[in-house]
Amino acid sequence: MNDSSWGAPTGAGYWGPPDQGPSQGASPAGPAHVQQGVEETRPMPIVPEMPDVPAGGRDQDDDRGAARPSGPLFRDESSGTQHEHPHGPRHEPPQGAQHEQPRGNSPYEQPRGAQHEPQHPTQHQTPYVTPHEAQHESLQEPMPSAAQPAPAPPKKSAGRDLGAAIGVGVGLGAVIVASLFIVKAVFIGVIAVAVVVGLWELTSRLEERKGIKAPLVPLAIGGAAMVVAGYVRGTEGAWVAMALTALAVLVWRMTEPPEGYLRDVTAGVFAAFYVPFLATFVALMLTADDGPQRVLTFLLLTVVSDTGAYAIGWRFGKHKLAPRISPGKTREGLVGAVTFAMAAGALCMQFLIDDGAWWQGLLLGLAVAASATLGDLGESMIKRDLGIKDMGTLLPGHGGIMDRLDSLLPTAPVVWLLLVIFVGAG
């Protein structure tokens, strides 16, 4: 057996210069004989012709979706037999990345610096504009040089039909004044009618919204009798009528099942005190010699207080008075109510009430403004608990009768008491 059977001759497998052989003790590159199934030579790959690249860089479409060869450069690299690289061991890429070529190593890829050069369209190309860029350019249109006038702030709304409210108010005032100065008994009838309608509105809303059945029949009869008793018999008659009305409510409710009895009779007694008993103090004022003037003073001060609160609060109101009870009322409105009521009280006490003084009118006006505001807030509390805006719709622009009596009812005993203190019972 000759030496060729044990390996290649000296220098086999070395691709360096001929004058420099492999180092002493280097391993032979492999057998020199030809094995079957393995090609002896490695043919060079056929490189396709590169397309002409514009002077400014690549064509616009090369970087987007252009196919790059990712397979092996040599046919025998895909076979299972591994061949040594002429300059050292060949490192195979990990599985799953065998077809990825590093950037810059492929003969089909341009140098790294040319990939990021700006693309300049040729004279035969039109730059592509995406819809997003077109929309952005359309939004950047130049604004007109002339300044646009600011929109006018919305006008404050009164929140109700002022025309209807004024018309109804004037009509009611005419009826009250006519009955007050012509025949006192007619005015007592007006008070009794207002009391009965107010009780009907209150009991109806309680039953609709809360399921409370306050007996209306004994309340209506007892309420009207309370007003008449106060005018005829004075304060004693008013108290007796109030007690009898409460007793009638208790007895009337016994004709129905006991479920909800305590709830219904409590609401009935409250309604008897809240509407007819407080209204009886207007009849008590009428019993004096200058009774019509006292009643007129009471009505004027209450209306002026409400008007001042509404006007000043609507025009200048910024700070809420009781936002959880009545969001529309403001502290500025309260100041307006006090100011208007004190001015009207001084005039009324000086010119309408016998033996009255202007300073008494100031105190009277202050008390009326406070009681009217509290009465309005109390009514608002009831309506908020019931979840309604108005107690009724009988008076256009105002709501119901109870929406007009809310400030009058608690003010009546205050005015009656102060007038008795200032000028006597008359």
Side-chain angles (χ1 to χ4, degrees):
M1 184 178 292
N2 54 17
D3 296 334
S4 63
S5 63
W6 290 95
T10 304
Y14 179 72
W15 290 24
D19 55 347
Q20 297 179 3
S23 60
Q24 187 70 21
S27 301
H33 63 274
V34 179
Q35 298 180 2
Q36 293 183 359
V38 178
E39 297 182 0
E40 298 180 4
T41 61
R42 300 184 182 217
M44 296 298 292
I46 300 176
V47 181
E49 296 181 1
M50 294 292 294
D52 294 336
V53 180
R58 286 186 167 200
D59 188 76
Q60 191 170 349
D61 296 330
D62 286 347
D63 292 339
R64 295 196 303 265
R68 295 190 179 96
S70 59
L73 297 178
F74 303 100
R75 290 181 297 173
D76 57 349
E77 289 181 3
S78 60
S79 62
T81 306
Q82 297 182 356
H83 302 277
E84 293 182 358
H85 195 274
H87 296 289
R90 184 173 181 268
H91 298 281
E92 293 294 332
Q95 187 176 1
Q98 296 180 0
H99 299 288
E100 295 180 4
Q101 293 289 339
R103 299 184 63 88
N105 295 335
S106 173
Y108 296 93
E109 191 168 304
Q110 280 191 314
R112 183 177 300 272
Q115 295 179 6
H116 301 286
E117 293 181 359
Q119 300 178 3
H120 303 283
T122 62
Q123 59 181 356
H124 301 291
Q125 293 178 337
T126 302
Y128 175 72
V129 180
T130 63
H132 176 72
E133 294 174 348
Q135 182 180 6
H136 182 67
E137 291 178 0
S138 65
L139 294 176
Q140 292 181 347
E141 297 181 356
M143 299 297 294
S145 57
Q148 298 293 335
K155 295 182 179 180
K156 289 186 176 182
S157 175
R160 59 180 178 176
D161 189 352
L162 287 180
I166 293 174
V168 171
V170 171
L172 290 176
V175 171
I176 291 173
V177 171
S179 61
L180 183 61
F181 287 94
I182 295 177
V183 179
K184 293 182 179 181
V186 176
F187 182 72
I188 296 299
V190 171
I191 298 175
V193 171
V195 164
V196 172
V197 175
L199 287 171
W200 169 71
E201 290 180 348
L202 180 59
T203 56
S204 298
R205 301 295 89 77
L206 289 175
E207 184 174 3
E208 291 174 1
R209 308 298 298 183
K210 296 292 186 179
I212 300 174
K213 299 180 180 180
L216 177 60
V217 174
L219 285 174
I221 297 175
M226 209 178 303
V227 174
V228 175
Y231 177 73
V232 174
R233 304 294 298 180
T235 56
E236 294 83 359
W239 280 110
V240 171
M242 173 63 194
L244 293 176
T245 301
L247 182 60
V249 168
L250 297 176
V251 174
W252 190 279
R253 180 59 180 80
M254 291 179 183
T255 60
E256 297 182 7
E259 289 77 15
Y261 177 82
L262 182 60
R263 176 196 61 189
D264 295 342
V265 297
T266 302
V269 174
F270 164 75
F273 174 83
Y274 182 51
V275 182
F277 182 75
L278 294 181
T280 303
F281 287 93
V282 181
L284 292 176
M285 283 188 280
L286 192 60
T287 58
D289 296 336
D290 56 349
Q293 288 80 6
R294 296 192 182 196
V295 174
L296 182 61
T297 299
F298 153 71
L299 295 175
L300 285 177
L301 292 186
T302 307
V303 172
V304 167
S305 174
D306 289 346
T307 303
Y310 176 78
I312 301 301
W314 176 74
R315 181 64 180 85
F316 303 102
K318 295 182 180 180
H319 303 86
K320 301 298 182 181
L321 179 63
R324 293 196 303 174
I325 301 176
S326 182
K329 291 178 176 54
T330 61
R331 300 175 186 176
E332 292 81 2
L334 178 60
V335 173
V338 172
T339 304
F340 279 52
M342 291 180 69
L347 294 175
C348 290
M349 288 296 294
Q350 185 69 31
F351 298 103
L352 291 180
I353 305 300
D354 297 337
D355 300 329
W358 63 269
W359 64 267
Q360 296 172 344
L362 294 177
L363 298 177
L364 182 63
L366 178 62
V368 167
S371 62
T373 302
L374 292 175
D376 202 350
L377 289 175
E379 180 81 5
S380 298
M381 197 75 169
I382 295 174
K383 291 187 289 188
R384 186 164 294 275
D385 185 27
L386 297 177
I388 58 177
K389 185 179 183 297
D390 294 323
M391 280 291 186
T393 58
L394 188 61
L395 304 177
H398 294 268
I401 289 292
M402 286 300 299
D403 295 301
R404 292 298 88 203
L405 297 179
D406 53 0
S407 56
L408 290 170
L409 290 175
T411 304
V414 174
V415 174
W416 172 81
L417 179 61
L418 290 177
L419 289 178
V420 170
I421 294 173
F422 289 152
V423 295

